[in-house]
Amino acid sequence: MGSPVRVLAEATPVTRDRYVDLLRVASLGAVVLGHWMMAAVTPDGVGNLLAVVPALQPLTWLLQVMPVFFFVGGFAHALSYRSLLRKRPEGSADSVYAAFLRARLQRLLRPTMVFVLVWGLAALLIQLLGGGGGLTGVMLRLVTQPLWFIGIYLAMVAFTPPLLRLHERYGWGAFAGLAGAAAAVDVLRFAAGVPYVEFLNFAFVWLAVHQLGFLRADGRLGVGPGLATLRRPALLAGGGLITAVTLVAAGPYPLSMVGMPGEKVSNMAPPTLALLCHGLWLVGAVELLRAPASRLLARPRAWRTVVAANGVAMTAFLWHLTAMLGVYGAMLALDVPLPEPATDAWWAQTPLRLAVAAALTAVLVAAFRTFERPAPTAAVQGHGPLAALGATLTLLGVLGLSMVGFAGLLEGRTALLIAIPVSAPAAVAMTLCGWLLVERAGRTVTGARVGL
């Protein structure tokens, strides 16, 4: 009998779009590598390499690939929700929605909750013992920052049914409406100076990218034989790139497609129209590569590699900053010299740091990968409103935790989430309660008593 990865790879249906799986793994891998490379750690703290060497900022136009992940998410969510609708023709909209939320969020939230609880207990212990200063304090603050991505993804899953209905009715018009709303928000923000309006683009920009995944699921990004298949992706890539360059050159948008310390305007937080155009060019570019990549993935060894990576991708993403900061912490503890960022000595040391960070990430993945395996799901009726409440609580909790971190637990440190101060314990409680509600709602049998 073969390994689980080999068995799973060999059981892959011929109808599966393997390229989507590759894009999911590659986009998360690019984010991990980018975070490792951008960290400019010195004994005095953690900086950003792109701030030290501004000439490297154009690289973010290649390495800021979160739009690709959200685009792939839209594709997968459309297929998953439609599949549930076909399997449950007699089920109510509420029950299908609850089952959809649980199925899509289970593999995401189980490893996330383990990460949150492990780090929460570790942070509490460290601070009870009088620690939490220096690089340790920086680590307690930074390790939760990537959770913003989990929060945005939660929102995409939660809004999939209504947005999919809009897509099925209006097609490209639904995408255009979201993109137009993102543009209007930036006009109100930069031209009219309307306060707080920019935060609406956390929804409009990322949901517009998500909507492109729906279009791909219906074969509307590339249609027709031969070169005609490439026409629409080429227009997306070219139009998105030209518009993004124009906006950055002539408008108030910064060059970097990731947030930079000290900048008044960030393309990422909150997202801007420039980032949406950047997402368009990336989506078009990866679609242009679909045919050669699909031929590569037809090879058994290449496909097994993608299957293996997909099985641990979320766990690796959650723990990669822990590994990176752990490497720097060990170097400081062992009095290994930390060269000034971007110097020749720093660049010479980079391959070794990356190799050790990758090895430590592999150890953490081996320890926690079992939580990424989804539990068996029974075909039962669910409770839609309860699932929606759970998703909302989890989203707010995860976003709050990404902002406040675990530093200052004993001092009651807070961060503003939609103008409301949120502490780490409160964020953890919301995340845990929301996750349990999603699990409960997806399992509830309509008409049955809730047992103890």
Side-chain angles (χ1 to χ4, degrees):
M1 189 173 179
S3 67
V5 169
R6 180 183 293 272
V7 171
L8 189 60
E10 292 176 350
T12 303
V14 294
T15 55
R16 187 177 183 89
D17 192 332
R18 300 182 179 194
Y19 186 44
V20 167
D21 294 285
L22 174 63
L23 289 179
R24 182 185 296 112
V25 168
S27 56
L28 285 179
V31 171
V32 168
L33 181 61
H35 285 168
W36 285 348
M37 289 295 299
M38 284 193 303
V41 180
T42 67
D44 298 323
V46 179
N48 191 316
L49 178 65
L50 298 175
V52 178
V53 189
L56 295 177
Q57 292 182 20
L59 291 178
T60 62
W61 289 55
L62 293 174
L63 297 177
Q64 170 48 290
V65 293
M66 270 304 177
V68 175
F69 189 91
F70 293 144
F71 161 66
V72 168
F75 175 87
H77 298 157
L79 295 186
S80 176
Y81 188 68
R82 286 168 172 171
S83 175
L84 275 175
L85 288 176
R86 287 194 299 269
K87 292 176 181 177
R88 297 185 178 188
E90 304 302 325
S92 69
D94 276 358
S95 66
V96 172
Y97 181 66
F100 169 74
L101 276 183
R102 182 170 183 259
R104 297 308 299 171
L105 296 183
Q106 189 181 67
R107 189 170 173 182
L108 184 73
L109 292 183
R110 289 177 79 231
T112 299
M113 287 309 311
V114 171
F115 172 83
V116 167
L117 293 175
V118 168
W119 258 114
L121 291 173
L124 182 61
L125 181 61
I126 288 169
Q127 291 170 72
L128 284 173
L129 295 176
L135 186 61
T136 302
V138 173
M139 180 182 287
L140 294 177
R141 190 177 74 250
L142 292 183
V143 290
T144 63
Q145 283 189 359
L147 293 179
W148 73 266
F149 145 78
I150 306 288
I152 298 297
Y153 199 80
L154 278 166
M156 290 177 173
V157 175
F159 283 110
T160 287
L163 289 177
L164 189 56
R165 288 192 290 271
L166 281 177
H167 159 75
E168 289 167 348
R169 182 170 182 179
Y170 298 108
W172 279 95
F175 164 78
L178 288 166
V185 164
D186 275 12
V187 170
L188 292 173
R189 175 187 182 183
F190 295 118
V194 177
Y196 305 115
V197 70
E198 62 267 26
F199 294 104
L200 292 174
N201 267 350
F202 277 112
F204 293 141
V205 168
W206 291 126
L207 290 178
V209 174
H210 189 248
Q211 208 77 7
L212 291 174
F214 295 167
L215 290 162
R216 189 189 193 279
D218 286 349
R220 300 177 70 174
L221 288 189
V223 293
L227 292 178
T229 306
L230 305 178
R231 187 176 300 136
R232 195 161 286 167
L235 287 174
L236 270 182
L241 183 60
I242 291 170
T243 307
V245 169
T246 303
L247 288 172
V248 170
Y253 304 99
L255 175 62
S256 174
M257 288 297 162
V258 300
M260 299 296 299
E263 280 190 332
K264 293 183 179 179
V265 176
S266 165
N267 280 320
M268 271 291 293
T272 63
L273 180 62
L275 183 66
L276 175 56
C277 294
H278 168 70
L280 291 180
W281 109 257
L282 280 180
V283 167
V286 298
E287 283 297 284
L288 289 172
L289 297 173
R290 187 201 306 194
S294 296
R295 288 193 292 270
L296 173 65
L297 293 172
R299 301 176 182 177
R301 180 175 297 179
W303 178 234
R304 285 197 298 270
T305 301
V306 172
V307 170
N310 255 310
V312 299
M314 188 53 57
T315 302
F317 175 81
L318 287 167
W319 291 97
H320 77 279
L321 280 187
T322 302
M324 180 200 76
L325 293 170
V327 169
Y328 280 109
M331 292 173 68
L332 289 172
L334 297 172
D335 291 326
V336 176
L338 281 178
E340 283 296 314
T343 61
D344 290 343
W346 188 89
W347 286 112
Q349 195 186 68
T350 296
L352 179 60
R353 288 198 311 270
L354 293 180
V356 177
L360 185 51
T361 300
V363 171
L364 291 167
V365 165
F368 296 108
R369 64 180 296 178
T370 185
F371 299 102
E372 195 164 343
R373 298 169 186 162
T377 303
V380 297
Q381 298 294 311
H383 193 282
L386 190 63
L389 175 61
T392 302
L393 282 175
T394 308
L395 183 152
L396 294 175
V398 166
L399 289 180
L401 194 55
S402 74
M403 298 170 67
V404 71
F406 282 117
L409 275 178
L410 301 182
E411 290 80 22
R413 183 174 182 264
T414 62
L416 287 180
L417 176 65
I418 318 177
I420 300 173
V422 176
S423 65
V428 171
M430 282 193 292
T431 304
L432 181 58
C433 290
W435 172 58
L436 292 175
L437 283 176
V438 170
E439 286 286 309
R440 184 79 169 183
R443 292 176 179 174
T444 302
V445 179
T446 302
R449 294 180 62 187
V450 178
L452 297 178

